[in-house]
Amino acid sequence: MEITVDEGLLGPLLLARSAIDRSAALRENAEWIRRAWADGATRVVVVDDGQALVRRSGDEVGLVLLPPGEAPEGERYLLGVDAAGVAYFAVAAPLRAAEGNGAATARIVAPLKAGALPEGETVPAGLRQVGALLGDLDAGLLVHAVALEAWHSTHEFCPRCGGRTEVRAGGHMRVCPDDRSQHFPRVDPAVIMLVHDGEDRCLLARGPQWPEGRMSVLAGFVEPGESLEQAVIREVAEEVGVSVTAPRYLGSQPWPFPRSLMLGFFARATSVELVPDAEEIAEARWFTREEMAAALRSGELRLPPVVSIARRLIETWYGGDLHGDW
């Protein structure tokens, strides 16, 4: 049973959600930004090394959003404005400066289930841990904030002259005061592809750094001067020695670890012998749907978390929800 592109991806791509206007036209308006920061209705997410404070309320987990007067000092990034006119900013600052009474100091490093977080408790967590639990607004805010923080943290100095750059355009540009050059947030396109045989098998693999049983689809960065479809064909050949044809685009989502944009594809194999690149692939294997379901039930196989586009590609090929996360 081959899934066609017209049937689309199962469920939402969880890091591709948003509920605000990114308000690019306001980023250069210093007076508007000043007024927005002075407005008590404005809300701020504090981001620190890819994490922010979250809190559970009932069955929901949400970002801890502060009014500007309670936000710590740090670089400010305009995230956008919602339909009600509320402005949202991110501030890059230590989370301990934003933690209130009862906030936990230990960072969460594994994916959370909503029920695992005590009611009302505040914890630091990142997109991998809570991206699947956040609503559309909070997911979009955190993805945007994390991506900007990651870029700014590695672009403090001008690549042309070495001078210290300054934040401009609401956090969406850095300018070198010495040579006047402008620098914009970097996004690295990467293709991620589910390879299938056109019948009832798909290909999964694991990298050398992963424990046995943890497998996913193939992925790789797009090279200069290369189309997305060319990248799909090249990466599959390089990683597992399989030839593929007919790459079909299904969807994309940001993956700010630190700055990727993942572009999801299906591709049909025209050869099936596996010749893994030992530096990149520790194991590669063809699975039928029945074999995949059995391996998940036994614990032999674990799949990427639901927040990833890899999981959506696998479930789309399979034709339903699967269980057995990393």
Side-chain angles (χ1 to χ4, degrees), residues 154-279:
T154 57
H155 287 74
E156 295 179 80
F157 298 95
C158 177
R160 295 175 58 180
C161 72
R164 184 176 290 276
T165 55
E166 299 172 350
V167 178
R168 293 287 187 273
H172 292 77
M173 178 172 68
R174 296 187 77 99
V175 174
C176 177
D178 297 330
D179 65 18
R180 306 288 184 180
S181 59
Q182 299 177 342
H183 309 277
F184 298 90
R186 170 179 159 184
V187 176
D188 297 334
V191 290
I192 182 166
M193 45 277 177
L194 183 138
V195 177
H196 62 92
D197 66 358
E199 299 295 334
D200 187 39
R201 295 193 303 171
C202 84
L203 177 61
L204 299 183
R206 68 177 179 91
Q209 72 279 19
W210 295 353
E212 290 190 13
R214 177 185 289 189
M215 303 188 82
S216 185
V217 297
L218 302 176
F221 288 105
V222 181
E223 293 186 347
E226 185 175 50
S227 73
L228 300 178
E229 292 80 5
Q230 289 169 336
V232 169
I233 294 168
R234 175 185 54 78
E235 283 287 346
V236 175
E238 289 178 354
E239 293 189 353
V240 294
V242 170
S243 298
V244 298
T245 188
R248 301 297 301 275
Y249 173 75
L250 273 84
S252 68
Q253 76 169 5
W255 193 248
F257 307 111
R259 56 184 64 86
S260 297
L261 174 65
M262 306 303 294
L263 300 128
F265 285 81
F266 277 179
R268 181 169 56 81
T270 57
S271 67
V272 296
E273 181 182 359
L274 300 175
V275 185
D277 179 337
E279 292 188 2

Side-chain angles (χ1 to χ4, degrees), residues 10-267:
L10 287 178
L13 292 169
L14 297 175
L15 298 189
R17 297 172 294 152
S18 182
I20 64 171
D21 185 324
R22 294 169 75 94
S23 306
L26 297 172
R27 294 170 186 168
E28 298 275 9
N29 190 331
E31 177 57 24
W32 182 90
I33 288 178
R34 185 195 65 77
R35 292 198 309 270
W37 188 259
D39 188 341
T42 292
R43 287 296 175 262
V44 180
V45 54
V46 180
V47 61
D48 178 11
D49 194 23
Q51 294 204 326
L53 295 177
V54 299
R55 181 183 296 124
R56 175 189 167 200
S57 177
D59 293 332
E60 298 182 356
V61 175
L63 290 176
V64 175
L65 298 173
L66 305 175
E70 297 180 17
E73 291 296 319
E75 288 186 346
R76 300 175 188 172
Y77 317 137
L78 174 64
L79 302 180
V81 179
D82 69 15
V86 175
Y88 293 86
F89 287 82
V91 168
L95 292 183
R96 63 178 179 274
E99 290 172 341
N101 294 332
T105 56
R107 291 179 176 233
I108 302 298
V109 296
L112 275 175
K113 303 292 185 182
L117 185 62
E119 176 78 20
E121 182 173 334
T122 299
V123 298
L127 287 164
R128 283 189 173 97
Q129 292 77 50
V130 297
L133 303 178
L134 298 174
D136 292 354
L137 172 65
D138 287 359
L141 292 174
L142 189 54
V143 170
H144 196 174
V146 166
L148 286 175
E149 185 216 16
W151 178 73
H152 282 284
S153 69
T154 57
H155 287 74
E156 295 179 80
F157 298 95
C158 177
R160 295 175 58 180
C161 72
R164 184 176 290 276
T165 55
E166 299 172 350
V167 178
R168 293 287 187 273
H172 292 77
M173 178 172 68
R174 296 187 77 99
V175 174
C176 177
D178 297 330
D179 65 18
R180 306 288 184 180
S181 59
Q182 299 177 342
H183 309 277
F184 298 90
R186 170 179 159 184
V187 176
D188 297 334
V191 290
I192 182 166
M193 45 277 177
L194 183 138
V195 177
H196 62 92
D197 66 358
E199 299 295 334
D200 187 39
R201 295 193 303 171
C202 84
L203 177 61
L204 299 183
R206 68 177 179 91
Q209 72 279 19
W210 295 353
E212 290 190 13
R214 177 185 289 189
M215 303 188 82
S216 185
V217 297
L218 302 176
F221 288 105
V222 181
E223 293 186 347
E226 185 175 50
S227 73
L228 300 178
E229 292 80 5
Q230 289 169 336
V232 169
I233 294 168
R234 175 185 54 78
E235 283 287 346
V236 175
E238 289 178 354
E239 293 189 353
V240 294
V242 170
S243 298
V244 298
T245 188
R248 301 297 301 275
Y249 173 75
L250 273 84
S252 68
Q253 76 169 5
W255 193 248
F257 307 111
R259 56 184 64 86
S260 297
L261 174 65
M262 306 303 294
L263 300 128
F265 285 81
F266 277 179

